[in-house]
Amino acid sequence: MAADWLGSLVSINCGPTLGVYQGEVSSVDQSCQTISLRQPFHNGVKCPVPEVTFSAIDIKDLKILDIRNGNAQTSSSVSTNSKSNPVAVPKGDPRTVDTVNSPQSFSKSYGDRHLEVPKGFRRRHNSWSSSSRGANQVTPKKNGVKNGSSQMKQRDDECFGDGIDDGLDTDFDFEGNLALFDKAAVFSEIDTSERRNGARSRGTPQEQTPSRYRHDENILEGKPVVYRQITVPQPGAKEYCTDSGLVVPSILYDLHKRLLLVAERHGLTLERRLEMTGVCASQMALTLLGGPNRFTPKNLHQRPTVALLCGPHVQGAQGISCGRHLANHEVEVVLFLPNFVKMVDPVTCELTLFNKTGGKQVSNIKDLPDTPVDLIIDCLDCHENTFLMDQPWYRAAADWANQNRAPVLSLDPPVSGQGQAVEAKWSLSLCLPLPLGEGAGSVYLCDIGIPRQVFQEVGIKYHSPFGCKFVIPLHSA
């Protein structure tokens, strides 16, 4: 009798502590009152062990889900719960208990439910619809064989068949529908509406060419850019332009001198101009020496060396101020300044401050470095006194600079008809450039803080071309 149930699918309820198990009956021991399940599922989850054995004491309820053995005479639901109703199926009866597709739905029991489905609502065939037939309902067979194909078709109809319009089999005519759209009329209506509201007309795609903008360019339309924002009463022989295209005219030295005198009368004294020039020149020199790639705490053993060639004049004082700032930034500065000529007051003051930085000062060309240095700053020339070029110390310093093979930065070079004694790679002009020659190299411009009204007082219409910087490059226009 016990062998008749082998291979059947059963559900065993062991109470709230042990839970519900489902599986295929592998063995039944009547003497020990035990039953074993093969490939068991515990509360809908597959067990890690291939077989589980239960004692009759632990079983609260046992339900037969599917009878696999055709020799079984009866199929019943044995329960230790007094509320359960056994179901008996006699041998050979052409009925069988409805098979549940997924073992995970074995633990779901909803009882007999009767819900009214609204018209046009698709009933989905799931575990509820399977169990809603009731405990005593069975699935009929046709000619003694389970009607599998008809049953699957019925389930498909329940899920997907209701409410489907057969007219959707016809392909949608995209071309015909697109032909109904009058694009020209729609764009004309948009243009008319925008003109009425005062907005800018976008035009049709055929009439409009898309603009390309850089990542740093403003896409909003503004006023047209005026590139000639600086006009001078007496322009020089050359014109320059910035990277953004602004025109910077050169001025004659007489106008440059008058501009500095007016600025000094308004409070921009020579000491303030020297300090501003020294800061800008040192910032440019630090960039030329390598900038942040060289001036790091890990690179202090490779301190750059700068040779500073200065004369006894205002341009020399500007160079000494630059050397002081470079020495404060851990640059080895070697200052050449002749001591047998008369010094002006600005040079003496700047030299006193420079000696406080620990920089090296020499008055003989032989004391300059024998090996090439990193940078040479040339401040030998003077705007006023052009006879210095005939002095022996000047010629010796110029020859040393030309033979050292180091790049040369010329600070505030004058306009000389005889050309540059030292071939410069870069030249730094103040406020507005002078018409420099080819020997000046690449021209840069620094801002020394002259207000706009000072420019207007000498007849210069001025708008600052510096932007966010104090030193900018200039290009020949």
Side-chain angles (χ1 to χ4, degrees), residues 205-245:
Q206 292 81 4
E207 299 174 354
Q208 196 176 36
T209 303
S211 301
R212 292 184 175 271
Y213 299 96
R214 300 194 310 270
H215 67 282
D216 58 345
E217 186 177 0
N218 190 0
I219 64 175
L220 299 179
E221 290 187 355
K223 297 180 180 179
V225 179
V226 179
Y227 290 99
R228 188 175 292 275
Q229 300 180 357
I230 302 175
T231 57
V232 295
Q234 298 175 356
K238 299 183 65 175
E239 280 191 346
Y240 301 92
C241 64
T242 64
D243 290 338
S244 58

Side-chain angles (χ1 to χ4, degrees), residues 282-476:
S282 61
Q283 184 180 13
M284 180 178 177
L286 291 173
T287 303
L288 296 176
L289 291 172
N293 296 326
R294 187 165 187 178
F295 293 91
T296 60
K298 297 181 180 180
N299 202 26
L300 293 179
H301 63 287
Q302 294 180 345
R303 296 173 58 184
T305 303
V306 173
L308 195 60
L309 308 180
C310 298
H313 38 66
V314 175
Q315 280 69 31
Q318 294 173 351
I320 298 174
S321 175
C322 174
R324 170 166 55 89
H325 290 290
L326 291 177
N328 290 335
H329 286 265
E330 303 298 329
V331 178
E332 293 185 359
V333 180
V334 181
L335 170 62
F336 168 77
L337 182 66
N339 60 356
F340 49 83
V341 294
K342 184 179 178 180
M343 302 292 178
V344 296
D345 292 338
V347 176
T348 304
C349 296
E350 291 295 334
L351 189 59
T352 303
L353 291 175
F354 174 79
N355 291 330
K356 303 297 182 181
T357 62
K360 183 179 178 181
Q361 178 187 356
V362 297
S363 58
N364 194 338
I365 298 298
K366 297 180 180 180
D367 296 331
L368 290 173
D370 297 332
T371 58
V373 295
D374 294 274
L375 181 65
I376 298 175
I377 300 179
D378 177 23
C379 301
L380 295 174
D381 295 303
C382 177
H383 293 284
E384 303 290 342
N385 189 0
T386 59
F387 298 101
L388 291 177
M389 299 180 65
D390 299 331
Q391 299 294 327
W393 62 267
Y394 182 98
R395 293 196 302 267
D399 292 340
W400 179 89
N402 291 327
Q403 296 174 5
N404 191 264
R405 295 180 299 175
V408 178
L409 169 61
S410 182
L411 181 56
D412 192 16
V415 181
S416 176
Q418 300 178 2
Q420 299 291 127
V422 180
E423 194 74 17
K425 187 175 183 179
W426 308 282
S427 293
L428 183 62
S429 297
L430 310 182
C431 60
L432 286 177
L434 299 175
L436 302 177
E438 297 295 333
S442 300
V443 181
Y444 284 75
L445 189 67
C446 76
D447 183 11
I448 59 175
I450 298 179
R452 181 185 299 181
Q453 291 184 1
V454 176
F455 285 98
Q456 294 178 356
E457 189 170 341
V458 297
I460 299 176
K461 180 184 177 182
Y462 181 82
H463 289 273
S464 175
F466 292 96
C468 62
K469 299 180 180 180
F470 283 87
V471 178
I472 58 173
L474 296 181
H475 312 280
S476 297

